Amino acid sequence: MSDHTRSISDGLVAFHNWLFLPIDIASLVYFRIGFGAIMLWEVWRYFNNGWIKRYWIDPPFNFTYYGFDWVKPLPENGMYVLFVVLGILAFFITIGFKYRVSAALFFVGFTYTFLLEQARYLNHFYLVCLLSFLLIFLPANRAFSIDARQRPEIYSDTIPAWPIWLLRVQIGIVYFYAAIAKINPDWLLHAQPMTMWLSSRTDFPIIGQYFTESWMVYLLSYGGFLLDLLVFPCLLWRRTRLIAFVFAVIFHLMNFRLFSIGIFPWLMIASTAIFFNPDFPRRLMKGWWTVKHCHPNPLIKPKYLRWWRANTCALLSIYLILQILIPFRHFLYPGNVNWTYEGHRFSWHMKLLSKRGDIQFFVTDPIENQTWEFDPDNYLARWQVRTMVGRPDMILQFSHHLADELRAAGYAQIEVRVRSELSLNGRNPQLFIDPGVDLVTQRRSLKPSSWILPLTETLPIK
């Protein structure tokens, strides 16, 4: 074995041992409680705002994700029952009762609601799916939980280091890719769409009066980019951790005040706190929560320890490789991703674009040689139409659905064409979809769509 090979091998062994180094469980318990409480609040918001009926009961049609056409909403009472169950599961996660089962069922239930409607895609819903999935496998119920009280044999004041580092890296990925997405001319050179957004928010406390000034707009554009880019490494370094956390909190509170983005700011603030030393919740409680006893790897018999660690490392590697690669998939598609939207989802492209436009569907019966216009507002909810206008895959899906409906009504052959004019980040409107293409002949797939017209309009020069 060469010295170089031996050095790599020694490094991997050291890294492996570091992943399983015992650390305080307090931070993981904090994360479990914070996540469960925020999810319980989110479920309450759905009931309080009437969103269950609005999003899954009233619409006659829901936009499904590619490959998940079989996912359909439950009957009316079923959706209400589902959210009651999700609320109960979130509460169980918070208190650590039947934790593994509760986390698994919450992941399945929440991911099901996520898959029901593409028009409601938000990055923080995707993040909730990921975090609830990870919680299934993290030993967050071994302390400060009903489970640990009922089953004292699982209690432990320590855990291996990898669960905390897995959560840290997951949150770091969100920040990092949000920064990468901002490296585009609209954001950095033209401060768009920030200019458009801030011009309507001059009521913001103290600094809102400057939101129409170029220097303020560029300050916030570059400030958001630099925070997303630097906050992860600064949180990792002890000397900059506190100041990075303070800036992150200010950033998320400003976003909460400026934009309607639901629980995302609070979820990110709570998640970002896990970068502090693992014992920080215990120290904040000032001795009220004291160490009882420690088990570096409870319930793991020595003869299975090596097998368990090796498989844990393998699964962690697979998960993180996927999380690192998936956000880059939009580079496999031609054109500006903010325009084409191909590969945009699941890539942490957050609050980067403003699309405004109109869409008209033209249905042709080639047998009778008749063409008529179909207004989607007469069939879809307005919030669905607003989202569909800028999402070509949703336009295609609705075109296929419209053709299916008309065939069922007795039309043997149907063609659907679209005329869509769209404005991206303040550009002059231009054609978005090739109006000469019969979308019924285009299959839904993950391949690039040739019927999406390239972006040719440029941003107006100030």
Side-chain angles (χ1 to χ4, degrees), residues 147-148 150-156 293 295 298-299:
D147 286 349
Q150 293 181 340
R151 298 168 54 206
E153 69 275 10
I154 74 167
Y155 182 91
S156 178
H293 55 271
H295 295 300
L299 305 183

Side-chain angles (χ1 to χ4, degrees), residues 435-456:
V437 174
D438 174 16
L439 294 181
V440 178
T441 65
Q442 305 299 309
R443 296 182 60 183
R444 292 182 70 191
S445 73
L446 299 178
K447 297 179 180 179
S449 302
S450 60
W451 42 269
I452 303 174
L453 297 177
L455 178 65
T456 57

Side-chain angles (χ1 to χ4, degrees), residues 39-343:
M39 291 303 101
L40 183 58
W41 176 38
E42 176 75 340
V43 169
W44 175 83
R45 292 174 73 236
Y46 272 81
F47 282 101
N48 187 58
N49 294 301
W51 291 341
I52 300 173
K53 185 175 187 293
R54 182 189 184 197
Y55 295 135
W56 295 296
I57 297 174
D58 288 344
F61 173 74
N62 290 103
F63 290 92
T64 55
Y65 291 85
Y66 177 73
F68 290 91
D69 293 339
W70 51 273
V71 180
K72 303 296 181 183
L74 298 171
E76 179 172 347
N77 291 335
M79 291 305 298
Y80 283 107
V81 170
L82 173 63
F83 271 84
V84 169
V85 172
L86 286 175
I88 294 172
L89 293 172
F91 178 67
F92 284 177
I93 291 172
T94 305
I95 64 176
F97 178 67
K98 304 296 181 183
Y99 163 75
R100 300 280 188 180
V101 174
S102 297
L105 292 177
F106 184 89
F107 163 71
V108 171
F110 190 91
T111 302
Y112 164 74
T113 67
F114 173 80
L115 294 173
L116 285 175
E117 178 60 74
Q118 268 201 93
R120 295 197 63 251
Y121 174 85
L122 290 171
N123 283 286
H124 69 263
F125 291 154
Y126 175 46
L127 181 60
V128 168
C129 293
L130 294 178
L131 293 178
S132 60
F133 173 74
L134 294 180
L135 279 175
I136 299 171
F137 308 99
L138 305 186
N141 64 329
R142 291 181 182 170
F144 219 75
S145 69
I146 303 298
D147 286 349
R149 181 175 292 273
Q150 293 181 340
R151 298 168 54 206
E153 69 275 10
I154 74 167
Y155 182 91
S156 178
D157 286 306
T158 64
I159 55 170
W162 67 262
I164 292 298
W165 280 104
L166 177 60
L167 292 173
R168 287 173 176 173
V169 173
Q170 179 65 79
I171 299 303
I173 286 173
V174 175
Y175 280 119
F176 175 74
Y177 282 106
I180 296 300
K182 291 181 174 68
I183 303 178
N184 68 77
D186 283 20
W187 189 273
L188 296 179
L189 297 183
H190 302 282
Q192 287 286 16
M194 187 68 79
T195 299
M196 300 168 58
W197 293 336
L198 294 184
S199 64
S200 63
R201 300 309 308 269
T202 54
D203 59 336
F204 193 89
I206 303 176
I207 62 174
Q209 58 185 314
Y210 303 111
F211 279 0
T212 55
E213 301 288 338
S214 293
W215 64 267
M216 175 59 77
V217 176
Y218 277 92
L219 176 64
L220 293 180
S221 292
Y222 274 85
F225 164 67
L226 291 174
L227 184 133
D228 284 333
L229 182 66
L230 299 176
V231 70
F232 184 34
C234 288
L235 286 168
L236 294 176
W237 192 25
R238 181 178 58 83
R239 293 186 178 182
T240 56
R241 185 173 299 143
L242 181 58
I243 189 65
F245 179 75
V246 170
F247 273 105
V249 170
I250 294 173
F251 173 75
H252 290 301
L253 291 179
M254 285 190 64
N255 284 341
F256 174 75
R257 181 64 173 78
L258 284 170
F259 310 113
S260 298
I261 48 179
I263 62 170
F264 185 66
W266 309 109
L267 180 61
M268 288 302 291
I269 289 173
S271 300
T272 303
I274 65 171
F275 284 87
F276 289 107
N277 289 339
D279 66 341
F280 87 88
R282 201 187 301 274
R283 288 187 285 110
L284 287 178
M285 298 176 76
K286 296 180 180 178
W288 185 60
W289 181 9
T290 58
V291 174
K292 294 182 180 179
H293 55 271
C294 300
H295 295 300
N297 289 285
L299 305 183
I300 304 295
K301 297 180 180 180
K303 68 177 181 178
Y304 297 124
L305 189 57
R306 182 176 298 177
W307 173 89
W308 177 76
R309 288 185 173 185
N311 282 276
T312 298
C313 288
L315 293 174
L316 287 175
S317 300
I318 294 171
Y319 177 83
L320 292 177
I321 288 172
L322 288 174
Q323 290 303 308
I324 291 169
L325 293 180
I326 288 174
F328 283 121
R329 77 191 189 285
H330 67 84
F331 289 110
L332 301 175
Y333 296 93
N336 184 329
V337 62
N338 290 336
W339 174 255
T340 68
Y341 219 75
E342 294 185 298

